[in-house]
Amino acid sequence: MTNSDAADDSKDGGQDAASVRVHRPRRAVPTDVVRPTRAEVHLSALRHNLGQLRRVAGQASIWGVLKADAYGHGSKAVGRTLERAGIDGICVALVEEGVELREAGIELPILVMGGYYGNAFSELRYHRLTPVLSDQSQVERLARAARTSIGSGDERFSCHVKVDTGMARLGVRAEEVQGLVQCLTERPCLEVTGLMTHLANADVSADGVFEEPLRRFEKARAAFEERALLPRTQHMANSAALLRDARTHFQQVRPGVALFGIDPLAESGLTDGERAAVKLKPAMSVSSRIVSLRQLEAGETVGYGGTFRATGSTRIATVPMGYADGLSRAMSNRGQALVRGRRVPIVGNVSMDMVTLDVTALPSVRLGDEVVFLGTQKFEDQSAEITASDLAKWSDTIAWEVLTNISRRVPRFYREA
Ligand SMILES: *Cc1c(COP(=O)(O)O)cnc(C)c1O
């Protein structure tokens, strides 16, 4: 099985008897039988956010980070939309994520940042994906594969090199830069077209979070420059750094979460003077409908373990959205949802497929009423919003994880507006 088989859900599995089909949950029943739980992705918000980030990035090109299925928004649709909107390139974490975008017809350059496994060279080359190399053994492996496959012509294989400036995850360490540069010099079949690093503390509000990484990056750049290997493109900035410090922009920036309308600095307490002003629009909303309503008497409990007990007459609405859909169980008796333009509390434990809301305060609520878990709801003259950051707070995590947790069981609907 090749990566392309795994990532392709349009190809006929019968073409290659040995190939393993990766089954993705699909709607196996007609649309009108499917439960009303859905995510909507607003493509105009993506275009708007790209425009906002362009203003901040200035001359730097924007490579959108579409890893993890574009943060749960669906990488094919997001990739196509951003390509048409003029984004400069795409970054993903995995080879198979890059392949999926190529098979969706995306022509933009694609950088595979998370390293690669096994002998991915032919896959990378066939799909015109650019790997990021972090250590000498990767360089050697890739060069060997490139030499045997490219032959003796002038053709070179393009790669970026990642430097560790404090994340301590991937990336070449300062003390190993010289050795890596030497190794690259001896392998002219590889062409370093980008030098990059990733910041650990770009959204930490403390002063000076960029000083040490900038200093370390500068040292690595100098080592590459000394051997005439410094590529024209250098990049460092995720969304937070892009919005915070132009010294991190270099020639290219890599925003992810901000493209999807999440401000990574919203909770940082930074002042207007310490960050760029942008108005981002959330690209995803998640909603469902009330499928059951009941009146409890004082003393009755709700859900597994009976963790909520009614203290008086209480109206409970059941909604088919559970932790298997990405509504964290940590929100049991803690989170909120929107009904009729108002916030109502989640009561009882969130279960796998369902959640229960206390709608006692809204006597007019009816079966079939819309429930919004993420996004804005307007009802008559009421309006309220739940952001990914709200959900993150209620479930002890970050907005990034809230978005990527919206599971495949929730169908995505794409709207131009
Ligand atoms: C995920 C990621 C980004 C984007 O980060 P955001 O905080 O979502 O903007 C950029 N660079 C690398 C290497 C990443 O892994």
mmCIF file of all heavy atoms in Angstrom, residues 65 67 71 113 162 169 196 198 237-240 254-258 400, ligand 1:
data_model
loop_
_atom_site.group_PDB
_atom_site.id
_atom_site.type_symbol
_atom_site.label_atom_id
_atom_site.label_comp_id
_atom_site.label_asym_id
_atom_site.label_seq_id
_atom_site.Cartn_x
_atom_site.Cartn_y
_atom_site.Cartn_z
ATOM 1 N N VAL A 65 -0.970 26.770 7.114
ATOM 2 C CA VAL A 65 -0.752 25.453 7.720
ATOM 3 C C VAL A 65 -2.084 24.695 7.740
ATOM 4 O O VAL A 65 -3.021 25.080 8.439
ATOM 5 C CB VAL A 65 -0.162 25.598 9.139
ATOM 6 C CG1 VAL A 65 0.053 24.221 9.757
ATOM 7 C CG2 VAL A 65 1.157 26.365 9.076
ATOM 8 N N LYS A 67 -2.405 21.280 8.316
ATOM 9 C CA LYS A 67 -2.237 19.933 8.895
ATOM 10 C C LYS A 67 -3.523 19.509 9.604
ATOM 11 O O LYS A 67 -4.399 20.339 9.873
ATOM 12 C CB LYS A 67 -1.057 19.937 9.874
ATOM 13 C CG LYS A 67 -1.233 20.897 11.046
ATOM 14 C CD LYS A 67 0.078 21.113 11.790
ATOM 15 C CE LYS A 67 -0.122 22.132 12.908
ATOM 16 N NZ LYS A 67 1.147 22.513 13.549
ATOM 17 N N TYR A 71 -7.032 21.697 10.409
ATOM 18 C CA TYR A 71 -7.554 21.939 11.752
ATOM 19 C C TYR A 71 -9.030 21.533 11.838
ATOM 20 O O TYR A 71 -9.853 22.207 12.463
ATOM 21 C CB TYR A 71 -7.394 23.405 12.158
ATOM 22 C CG TYR A 71 -5.963 23.880 12.352
ATOM 23 C CD1 TYR A 71 -4.943 23.498 11.492
ATOM 24 C CD2 TYR A 71 -5.620 24.728 13.402
ATOM 25 C CE1 TYR A 71 -3.641 23.943 11.677
ATOM 26 C CE2 TYR A 71 -4.319 25.174 13.595
ATOM 27 C CZ TYR A 71 -3.332 24.770 12.721
ATOM 28 O OH TYR A 71 -2.039 25.216 12.899
ATOM 29 N N MET A 113 6.158 19.269 7.105
ATOM 30 C CA MET A 113 6.989 19.755 8.214
ATOM 31 C C MET A 113 7.315 18.715 9.268
ATOM 32 O O MET A 113 8.265 18.866 10.021
ATOM 33 C CB MET A 113 6.289 20.927 8.910
ATOM 34 C CG MET A 113 5.946 22.077 8.002
ATOM 35 S SD MET A 113 5.260 23.472 8.935
ATOM 36 C CE MET A 113 3.810 22.724 9.679
ATOM 37 N N LYS A 162 15.287 22.317 9.223
ATOM 38 C CA LYS A 162 14.713 22.888 10.443
ATOM 39 C C LYS A 162 15.751 22.946 11.555
ATOM 40 O O LYS A 162 16.505 21.999 11.779
ATOM 41 C CB LYS A 162 13.544 22.037 10.895
ATOM 42 C CG LYS A 162 12.748 22.619 12.044
ATOM 43 C CD LYS A 162 11.555 21.719 12.323
ATOM 44 C CE LYS A 162 10.469 22.444 13.101
ATOM 45 N NZ LYS A 162 9.266 21.587 13.156
ATOM 46 N N ARG A 169 12.170 19.578 19.978
ATOM 47 C CA ARG A 169 11.287 18.531 19.481
ATOM 48 C C ARG A 169 11.938 17.957 18.237
ATOM 49 O O ARG A 169 12.591 16.945 18.277
ATOM 50 C CB ARG A 169 9.933 19.191 19.178
ATOM 51 C CG ARG A 169 8.736 18.398 19.462
ATOM 52 C CD ARG A 169 7.476 19.228 19.301
ATOM 53 N NE ARG A 169 7.392 19.946 18.020
ATOM 54 C CZ ARG A 169 6.318 20.609 17.596
ATOM 55 N NH1 ARG A 169 5.245 20.663 18.355
ATOM 56 N NH2 ARG A 169 6.315 21.218 16.447
ATOM 57 N N MET A 196 14.293 26.931 8.348
ATOM 58 C CA MET A 196 13.153 27.283 9.202
ATOM 59 C C MET A 196 13.394 26.893 10.655
ATOM 60 O O MET A 196 14.273 26.096 10.981
ATOM 61 C CB MET A 196 11.895 26.568 8.718
ATOM 62 C CG MET A 196 11.932 25.060 8.917
ATOM 63 S SD MET A 196 10.366 24.224 8.474
ATOM 64 C CE MET A 196 9.322 24.640 9.854
ATOM 65 N N HIS A 198 10.729 26.646 14.516
ATOM 66 C CA HIS A 198 9.379 26.770 15.053
ATOM 67 C C HIS A 198 9.495 27.255 16.486
ATOM 68 O O HIS A 198 10.364 26.802 17.235
ATOM 69 C CB HIS A 198 8.681 25.401 14.978
ATOM 70 C CG HIS A 198 7.220 25.444 15.314
ATOM 71 N ND1 HIS A 198 6.389 26.465 14.900
ATOM 72 C CD2 HIS A 198 6.441 24.579 16.007
ATOM 73 C CE1 HIS A 198 5.151 26.210 15.332
ATOM 74 N NE2 HIS A 198 5.160 25.080 16.007
ATOM 75 N N ALA A 237 7.655 32.142 11.726
ATOM 76 C CA ALA A 237 6.462 32.626 12.435
ATOM 77 C C ALA A 237 5.241 31.750 12.266
ATOM 78 O O ALA A 237 4.803 31.474 11.145
ATOM 79 C CB ALA A 237 6.136 34.047 11.970
ATOM 80 N N ASN A 238 4.652 31.316 13.378
ATOM 81 C CA ASN A 238 3.286 30.781 13.388
ATOM 82 C C ASN A 238 2.332 31.973 13.521
ATOM 83 O O ASN A 238 2.766 33.129 13.450
ATOM 84 C CB ASN A 238 3.139 29.758 14.527
ATOM 85 C CG ASN A 238 3.478 30.353 15.892
ATOM 86 O OD1 ASN A 238 3.770 31.547 16.010
ATOM 87 N ND2 ASN A 238 3.444 29.521 16.919
ATOM 88 N N SER A 239 1.066 31.709 13.763
ATOM 89 C CA SER A 239 0.097 32.807 13.827
ATOM 90 C C SER A 239 0.479 33.843 14.881
ATOM 91 O O SER A 239 0.455 35.052 14.621
ATOM 92 C CB SER A 239 -1.302 32.270 14.167
ATOM 93 O OG SER A 239 -1.742 31.363 13.201
ATOM 94 N N ALA A 240 0.824 33.356 16.081
ATOM 95 C CA ALA A 240 1.088 34.291 17.182
ATOM 96 C C ALA A 240 2.288 35.186 16.866
ATOM 97 O O ALA A 240 2.240 36.398 17.070
ATOM 98 C CB ALA A 240 1.326 33.519 18.481
ATOM 99 N N ARG A 254 3.996 31.217 8.537
ATOM 100 C CA ARG A 254 3.232 29.965 8.530
ATOM 101 C C ARG A 254 2.048 30.028 9.488
ATOM 102 O O ARG A 254 2.017 29.320 10.493
ATOM 103 C CB ARG A 254 4.119 28.784 8.946
ATOM 104 C CG ARG A 254 5.413 28.602 8.174
ATOM 105 C CD ARG A 254 6.096 27.303 8.615
ATOM 106 N NE ARG A 254 6.247 27.198 10.050
ATOM 107 C CZ ARG A 254 7.340 27.542 10.733
ATOM 108 N NH1 ARG A 254 8.412 27.982 10.103
ATOM 109 N NH2 ARG A 254 7.368 27.423 12.043
ATOM 110 N N PRO A 255 1.054 30.836 9.203
ATOM 111 C CA PRO A 255 -0.097 30.870 10.108
ATOM 112 C C PRO A 255 -0.979 29.637 9.915
ATOM 113 O O PRO A 255 -1.183 29.176 8.803
ATOM 114 C CB PRO A 255 -0.847 32.132 9.677
ATOM 115 C CG PRO A 255 -0.518 32.274 8.226
ATOM 116 C CD PRO A 255 0.890 31.752 8.064
ATOM 117 N N GLY A 256 -1.478 29.121 11.018
ATOM 118 C CA GLY A 256 -2.467 28.049 10.967
ATOM 119 C C GLY A 256 -3.759 28.551 11.565
ATOM 120 O O GLY A 256 -4.676 28.994 10.867
ATOM 121 N N VAL A 257 -3.800 28.565 12.883
ATOM 122 C CA VAL A 257 -5.057 28.802 13.588
ATOM 123 C C VAL A 257 -5.703 30.151 13.226
ATOM 124 O O VAL A 257 -6.925 30.253 13.160
ATOM 125 C CB VAL A 257 -4.805 28.646 15.118
ATOM 126 C CG1 VAL A 257 -4.214 29.903 15.725
ATOM 127 C CG2 VAL A 257 -6.044 28.173 15.840
ATOM 128 N N ALA A 258 -4.882 31.165 12.942
ATOM 129 C CA ALA A 258 -5.449 32.481 12.629
ATOM 130 C C ALA A 258 -6.222 32.461 11.312
ATOM 131 O O ALA A 258 -7.195 33.194 11.141
ATOM 132 C CB ALA A 258 -4.359 33.557 12.581
ATOM 133 N N TRP A 400 -6.964 25.129 19.480
ATOM 134 C CA TRP A 400 -6.438 24.250 18.431
ATOM 135 C C TRP A 400 -7.031 22.840 18.586
ATOM 136 O O TRP A 400 -7.484 22.237 17.625
ATOM 137 C CB TRP A 400 -4.921 24.142 18.529
ATOM 138 C CG TRP A 400 -4.108 25.351 18.189
ATOM 139 C CD1 TRP A 400 -3.348 25.518 17.061
ATOM 140 C CD2 TRP A 400 -3.909 26.540 18.971
ATOM 141 N NE1 TRP A 400 -2.699 26.730 17.105
ATOM 142 C CE2 TRP A 400 -3.017 27.373 18.250
ATOM 143 C CE3 TRP A 400 -4.398 26.986 20.200
ATOM 144 C CZ2 TRP A 400 -2.609 28.620 18.727
ATOM 145 C CZ3 TRP A 400 -3.990 28.230 20.667
ATOM 146 C CH2 TRP A 400 -3.114 29.029 19.937
HETATM 147 C C1 LIG B 1 1.160 23.954 13.531
HETATM 148 C C2 LIG B 1 2.362 24.675 13.088
HETATM 149 C C3 LIG B 1 2.271 26.024 12.681
HETATM 150 C C4 LIG B 1 1.001 26.844 12.771
HETATM 151 O O1 LIG B 1 0.741 27.177 14.126
HETATM 152 P P1 LIG B 1 -0.499 28.122 14.520
HETATM 153 O O2 LIG B 1 -0.281 28.392 15.962
HETATM 154 O O3 LIG B 1 -1.728 27.301 14.311
HETATM 155 O O4 LIG B 1 -0.441 29.313 13.667
HETATM 156 C C5 LIG B 1 3.416 26.604 12.160
HETATM 157 N N1 LIG B 1 4.582 25.912 12.088
HETATM 158 C C6 LIG B 1 4.701 24.633 12.508
HETATM 159 C C7 LIG B 1 6.007 23.936 12.394
HETATM 160 C C8 LIG B 1 3.596 23.980 13.021
HETATM 161 O O5 LIG B 1 3.728 22.715 13.441
#
